[in-house]
Amino acid sequence: MMLALRRACIFRALVFMAFLPPPQRAQDPAMVHYIYQRFQVLEQGLQKCTQATRAYIQDFQEFSKNISIMLGRCHTYTSEYKSAVHNLALRVERAQREIDYLEYLREADACVESEDKVLAEKLVQEAEEDQRIRMLLNASCDNMLMGIKSLKIVKKTTDTDGSWMKDAVSDSPKVYVFIGSRNNTVWEFANIRAFMEDSTKPAPRKLILTHSWQGTGQVIYKGFLFFHSQGTPNEIIKYNLQKRIVEDRMLLFGGAGRALAYQHSPSTYIDLAVDEHGLWAIHSGPGIRSHLVLTKIEPDTLGVEHSWDTPCRSQDAEASFLLCGVLYVVYSSGGHGPHRITCVYDPLGTIMEENLPNLFFPRRPRSHSMIHYNPRDKHLYAWNDGNQMIYKLQTRRKQPLQ
């Protein structure tokens, strides 16, 4: 800084000398005196400049010293601040761990309470469902199948597949015959004698339905014909036989109609049944090795009252029927005899298979096209290789519900 000031003063002196008069006039006393005064003024300016520079340097040194002191204090404060922040972070972390632990304890208690609540609700629902099923199946019927007593061949026709029946609950003696597995014609006979003897009068009445049926799972209940509508996977039609009109229809879900209900009944996808408790539907559930699904249907509204996934397989099955709310499934090997009941399903759990005797049907050369139970006369109506047959049953009382 001092060097720069001196250079500036010398530069001013040189500039001043550049304006001096030529040498020949240098001896002029007035000029010499003028020059001498100017040099004095210049020296005084240099002295002031030097003093100002020294004062500036001194002020700058003091400022630098103060800045150094303040920087040192800042470093001290920074270290203290970092230490305080670190301690605070440790406290916050410890507090967070304690909060997390308390939250875990609260959630654990809540989960335990929630699990207990869910379990309690599930138990209540199961109890209510069990009570509802017991009320649904609460009928005077308490019989269970113990054996097939006898076989009566009522008539023989040339039609391999078909079904025949009476109204399951009315006192009407009329007999209804469904020939084939896909048709829209129903033959109505005045009674079983008229059906057995073609020459008996009156002649059968021919009923042409507005829709065709599929399979051999038709039933007649309280004057209405219920059947699986042909060309639909899962539509059930309620047909008024007296008015000859479709009274109502429903779609049966749960995989109904996707596969055959019975392996040895190649046209029946939905099998309908009637027993002392009312109207039922049996069909195959989803899956390759599917099991039968049992559905209780309210006949007046065609609403589903309840469904059960049974342990009974569709494989090797040929037919099934219900008696007093219990499903009996008939199996045969390769579609030939022996025909026996090897799967029994009771929604109420009062019948165990180990408590049942061996339930065999009389040997027949082919599998049954249909087997339906009539709760009014307590017989099985069956169709086997063109033969219309009646099986008489041996039953006994079921064990009472606990």
Side-chain angles (χ1 to χ4, degrees):
M1 182 67 69
M2 291 293 297
L3 181 60
L5 291 173
R6 288 180 179 178
R7 288 179 177 176
C9 294
I10 295 171
F11 176 75
R12 291 174 62 186
L14 292 176
V15 172
F16 178 73
M17 291 177 65
F19 291 97
L20 292 177
Q24 62 268 18
R25 298 181 60 186
Q27 299 299 324
D28 187 350
M31 182 58 67
V32 172
H33 180 70
Y34 172 75
I35 292 173
Y36 180 74
Q37 287 181 343
R38 299 302 298 170
F39 269 106
Q40 284 183 340
V41 172
L42 182 59
E43 288 178 356
Q44 291 175 356
L46 288 174
Q47 289 178 357
K48 290 181 180 181
C49 183
T50 301
Q51 292 175 357
T53 301
R54 288 176 179 174
Y56 172 76
I57 292 173
Q58 185 176 0
D59 293 340
F60 183 77
Q61 288 176 347
E62 291 179 359
F63 175 75
S64 298
K65 183 179 179 180
N66 293 334
I67 290 297
S68 299
I69 295 173
M70 293 177 66
L71 288 175
R73 293 177 180 175
C74 286
H75 285 302
T76 302
Y77 293 154
T78 301
S79 300
E80 293 177 354
Y81 174 74
K82 288 182 178 180
S83 178
V85 170
H86 179 68
N87 293 334
L88 180 61
L90 292 177
R91 292 182 180 180
V92 171
E93 183 179 359
R94 184 164 55 250
Q96 186 64 45
R97 287 199 302 268
E98 293 177 355
I99 291 173
D100 292 341
Y101 177 69
L102 293 175
E103 184 70 19
Y104 167 76
L105 293 179
R106 189 184 68 82
E107 290 180 356
D109 293 339
C111 288
V112 172
E113 293 177 359
S114 178
E115 291 177 358
D116 292 342
K117 183 178 180 181
V118 170
L119 181 59
E121 291 178 352
K122 184 177 180 181
L123 292 175
V124 170
Q125 290 176 357
E126 290 178 353
E128 292 177 350
E129 184 69 12
D130 183 67
Q131 183 66 22
R132 193 174 76 86
I133 293 173
R134 290 178 183 239
M135 293 180 63
L136 180 65
L137 303 182
N138 183 22
S140 58
C141 177
D142 59 353
N143 293 329
M144 58 185 291
L145 182 64
M146 296 302 295
I148 313 297
K149 288 177 60 177
S150 62
L151 161 67
K152 178 181 179 180
I153 298 179
V154 177
K155 190 174 182 178
K156 181 175 178 60
T157 64
T158 59
D159 301 292
T160 303
D161 296 321
S163 62
W164 74 292
M165 66 204 67
K166 294 181 179 180
D167 193 310
V169 294
S170 74
D171 295 331
S172 172
K174 293 180 180 179
V175 174
Y176 298 87
V177 179
F178 302 78
I179 298 175
S181 59
R182 289 177 175 82
N183 207 333
N184 69 334
T185 302
V186 182
W187 294 96
E188 180 187 275
F189 294 83
N191 49 50
I192 197 166
R193 183 179 181 83
F195 173 57
M196 294 173 63
E197 301 175 4
D198 292 336
S199 59
T200 303
K201 300 297 182 179
R205 187 167 65 136
K206 184 178 182 181
L207 306 178
I208 306 297
L209 308 180
T210 57
H211 293 70
S212 297
W213 73 78
Q214 176 173 335
T216 57
Q218 307 85 8
V219 295
I220 295 178
Y221 184 72
K222 295 182 179 180
F224 295 95
L225 168 63
F226 297 84
F227 62 90
H228 178 198
S229 179
Q230 180 183 354
T232 67
N234 59 345
E235 184 180 56
I236 306 298
I237 288 182
K238 178 182 179 180
Y239 191 87
N240 191 317
L241 291 174
Q242 184 177 2
K243 298 179 180 179
R244 299 191 184 185
I245 60 172
V246 174
E247 193 79 18
D248 203 352
R249 62 185 71 201
M250 70 172 292
L251 295 179
L252 189 62
F253 297 103
R258 297 180 183 177
L260 292 172
Y262 316 113
Q263 180 183 358
H264 299 310
S265 183
S267 60
T268 302
Y269 288 82
I270 299 175
D271 190 15
L272 300 172
V274 175
D275 72 347
E276 292 80 0
H277 296 292
L279 181 64
W280 303 79
I282 304 103
H283 63 86
S284 178
I288 299 176
R289 293 184 173 271
S290 57
H291 292 69
L292 294 178
V293 176
L294 178 63
T295 301
K296 183 71 174 64
I297 300 175
E298 210 292 316
D300 294 331
T301 63
L302 291 187
V304 173
E305 295 183 283
H306 201 282
S307 288
W308 296 267
D309 293 326
T310 76
C312 302
R313 295 178 294 104
S314 296
Q315 185 178 3
D316 291 330
E318 61 180 68
S320 70
F321 60 93
L322 282 109
L323 189 156
C324 290
V326 178
L327 177 68
Y328 297 87
V329 185
V330 183
Y331 292 88
S332 61
S333 178
H336 306 286
H339 312 279
R340 57 184 180 177
I341 297 171
T342 57
C343 186
V344 177
Y345 178 72
D346 180 9
L348 295 178
T350 58
I351 297 180
M352 302 298 176
E353 290 189 35
E354 56 268 20
N355 298 329
L356 292 173
N358 292 325
L359 299 173
F360 286 92
F361 284 81
R363 178 177 286 275
R364 303 298 302 170
R366 293 190 57 182
S367 62
H368 292 84
S369 175
M370 58 79 68
I371 301 177
H372 282 172
Y373 173 70
N374 188 301
R376 186 165 60 90
D377 57 24
K378 312 297 181 184
H379 295 160
L380 292 180
Y381 288 72
W383 189 300
N384 184 289
D385 196 23
N387 295 292
Q388 291 79 52
M389 304 175 297
I390 292 178
Y391 292 106
K392 293 185 178 181
L393 307 177
Q394 179 183 359
T395 62
R396 71 172 175 84
R397 293 188 63 181
K398 293 190 290 186
Q399 297 178 356
L401 291 173
Q402 301 296 325

